[in-house]
Each structure stands twice: as structure tokens, then as C-alpha cells.
Amino acid sequence: MTRRSHRAKRVVASVRQQPWQRVQNPYPPIEVLSADQVEAILGAALTILETKGFRFLEDGSRKRLKANGADVAGEDGMVRLDRNLVLEKVALAPSQVTLRARNRAHDLVIGGNHIVFAAVGGPAFVSD
């Protein structure tokens, strides 16, 4: 296929990129739910984890969970988690993490009031 003569050639450097900078949100977070509503949702989620559980298909994951106090009931892969175990492990999570760049001046801080714009093309089958 040939280029049509009326179409201009593409110029690679035609879009000027802004200099790199960290972006922070100066505003406090919007409280969409009240504290009571958040507690109700958290309580319901913990009840589901305790009573119903969820299925882990990978045997190594079930072994690791069992070694850390989870109830691995049968061969169906269902795992139930005690609410205190979940709350204890969640409390260990940091409020923010640093995503390291090759150039340390361009490290990204994830969490807090930091805003991150990033192209993510690698983890196609990851969800959160």
C-alpha cells in the first residue's frame, strides 16, 4: 500500500512533552460514604470471608494460607478467613509504596495524595 500524496508525512517530535513532575492532589478526599456505611460494608465483607470463604484453585496458595491460620476445609479449594486474621494482615499493609524507576528522580509514589498517570500494558489479566 502506498502513501497518498495529499497526506502529510508524520513528524515524530510534533507533540511537545511537558517536563516530568510529581503531581499531588491539594484537596482532601471526598467522603462518599459515612463512617457507619464503611463499617457496614467492611463487616459484611468479613462475614462473607468467615462464613462462605472463596475458592483458591492453586494448591500452593491453599497451603500457604493454611500455614498462616486460614481454614482450608476440603478438596474443593474453599478457604475461610477469620476476621481477626484479615484485619491483622490488612494492618500490615503500608499506606503508600514507591514504584522505582531506572532514574530515581522519576520514582512514583502510590498512595496518599499522590496522583499517578501511567500506561499499563503488561498485566492484561490482573484485576483489583
Side-chain angles (χ1 to χ4, degrees):
M1 186 150 84
T2 62
R3 180 180 297 273
R4 293 188 174 144
S5 60
H6 66 277
R7 188 183 299 173
K9 280 191 169 185
R10 184 175 61 171
V11 179
V12 176
S14 65
V15 177
R16 190 174 68 84
Q17 185 173 344
Q18 295 293 318
W20 190 91
Q21 64 180 350
R22 285 194 176 87
V23 182
Q24 292 188 338
N25 185 357
Y27 305 108
I30 297 172
E31 300 290 333
V32 177
L33 301 173
S34 69
D36 291 341
Q37 291 171 319
V38 171
E39 275 303 313
I41 292 169
L42 179 61
L46 292 172
T47 299
I48 291 170
L49 290 175
E50 271 186 322
T51 58
K52 303 291 183 191
F54 55 99
R55 184 169 286 121
F56 278 86
L57 300 178
E58 206 273 317
D59 190 45
S61 299
R62 289 191 302 272
K63 288 178 183 175
R64 182 172 257 170
L65 286 163
K66 185 173 186 172
N68 284 286
D71 176 25
V72 180
E75 295 299 317
D76 61 351
M78 291 302 289
V79 176
R80 289 170 193 79
L81 300 168
D82 179 66
R83 71 178 51 230
N84 293 325
L85 174 67
V86 173
L87 293 172
E88 174 188 322
K89 297 303 180 187
V90 167
L92 297 174
S95 62
Q96 62 185 38
V97 295
T98 302
L99 184 61
R100 297 284 182 204
R102 285 184 287 181
N103 178 349
R104 294 296 169 117
H106 293 179
D107 287 352
L108 296 175
V109 179
I110 311 291
N113 64 342
H114 299 273
I115 300 172
V116 176
F117 302 98
V120 181
F125 300 104
V126 174
S127 62
D128 184 8

